[in-house]
Amino acid sequence: MSVRAHEVSVVVDGKSLLDSVSLALEAGEVLALVGPNGAGKSTLLDVLAGDRKPDGGAVELCGKPLRGWSTLEQARRRAVLPQQNSVAFPFTCAEVVRMGRAPWEGTDADQHDDVEVATAFELTGTAGFADRPFTSLSGGERALVALARVLAQRTDVLLLDEPTAALDLRHQERVLGIARERADDGCGVLAVLHDLGLAAAHADRIAVLAGGSLAAVGVPAEICTADLLSEVYQHPVEVFPHPRTGRPVVLPHREENRR
């Protein structure tokens, strides 16, 4: 088991953001976390990452209560890609990516720093940005370099908050392809996604949050149904099998335009 949330609840100013959510991320899988705006996706990821303390319930990381790991020990086991990738100072991209190696300073693993940084740049296609200030990049370029930092950290758990949000089609596929490769190597990868088509195409399982509660969790064929998604998103949805892969293709229903 990589990460497990057990009956996790979060309440802010009397409003329930998460209500008794139980969810497990397994080693070797890509788990997509989806749901409408305000469903609690980023809040749940923050709790799983240890960045927010739940008001109820508990989280386990690698089979041990999260609170039982020090901050440094957590950083050696899980890497987190936040939704916003801001840097206050004009660090170069090489310096930003190398920050991912900080948890391994002083250990035997730090001898691999140069290789891990170079590999992360290569995977994300961002080696050409190495000497550029991070602040000079576009939103999509920053997202890729931030992902490179997370990959360079080389942990068994990846928690990615909207890793494809600022990216074009080609780079979306690249990022989720990287997630797939890491899962195939034994990592547990959780990705918050807004694009249901990407979730259906790339995830091993999909967890659907709605109103702070877990509405459903299962393989894409079980979760991506017109009835379930139309109810959760409060908009009619069409689902049909991809002609080559057989995986669900999810599209919003649109009325025919008539002139």
Side-chain angles (χ1 to χ4, degrees):
M1 191 73 64
S2 293
V3 184
R4 177 190 290 274
H6 179 68
E7 298 292 322
V8 164
S9 296
V10 172
V11 179
V12 175
D13 295 331
K15 180 181 179 180
S16 177
L17 302 185
L18 294 174
D19 184 12
S20 298
V21 173
S22 294
L23 183 66
L25 170 66
E26 305 284 352
E29 77 165 344
V30 176
L31 174 62
L33 184 60
V34 305
N37 293 337
K41 301 183 296 297
S42 292
T43 301
L44 178 57
L45 187 139
D46 287 346
V47 171
L48 293 174
D51 293 333
R52 179 191 285 268
K53 183 179 179 181
D55 295 295
V59 175
E60 291 182 1
L61 173 63
C62 300
K64 179 178 176 180
L66 187 61
R67 64 179 180 275
W69 301 109
S70 68
T71 301
L72 179 59
E73 290 171 330
Q74 289 181 36
R76 291 175 179 172
R77 288 163 177 81
R78 63 96 184 98
V80 184
L81 179 69
Q83 194 174 128
Q84 301 296 328
N85 301 296
S86 58
V87 173
F89 300 97
F91 292 108
T92 66
C93 293
E95 290 171 328
V96 169
V97 175
R98 191 167 289 273
M99 290 175 188
R101 299 301 301 163
W104 304 105
E105 185 177 0
T107 71
D108 290 342
D110 68 6
Q111 63 185 304
H112 305 300
D113 285 359
D114 290 343
V115 171
E116 294 294 352
V117 169
T119 299
F121 269 130
E122 181 180 359
L123 284 172
T124 55
T126 55
F129 302 150
D131 296 327
R132 288 179 56 182
F134 184 79
T135 52
S136 74
L137 303 182
S138 70
E141 291 168 342
R142 291 188 188 194
L144 290 170
V145 172
L147 176 63
R149 174 190 60 77
V150 167
L151 296 174
Q153 199 169 329
R154 263 298 177 184
T155 59
D156 290 334
V157 178
L158 295 178
L159 303 176
L160 312 177
D161 197 354
E162 298 191 32
T164 61
L167 303 180
D168 60 31
L169 184 150
R170 179 170 71 94
H171 288 100
Q172 288 177 350
E173 292 294 318
R174 182 173 201 154
V175 166
L176 290 173
I178 293 170
R180 174 78 274 150
E181 291 173 4
R182 283 296 171 94
D184 289 344
D185 287 340
C187 292
V189 183
L190 184 148
V192 174
L193 298 174
H194 272 296
D195 190 320
L196 295 172
L198 289 175
H202 292 280
D204 296 301
R205 291 190 301 143
I206 299 174
V208 183
L209 280 178
S213 297
L214 189 64
V217 60
V219 299
E222 295 172 341
I223 300 304
C224 295
T225 67
D227 288 344
L228 173 62
L229 297 179
S230 296
E231 180 180 354
V232 167
Y233 284 89
Q234 295 295 292
H235 185 90
V237 170
E238 298 180 37
V239 180
F240 52 90
H242 189 281
R244 182 171 56 82
T245 66
R247 281 190 170 238
V249 175
V250 183
L251 294 173
H253 175 77
R254 300 183 179 100
E255 296 293 340
E256 181 182 359
N257 289 326
R258 298 181 182 276
R259 295 187 178 182

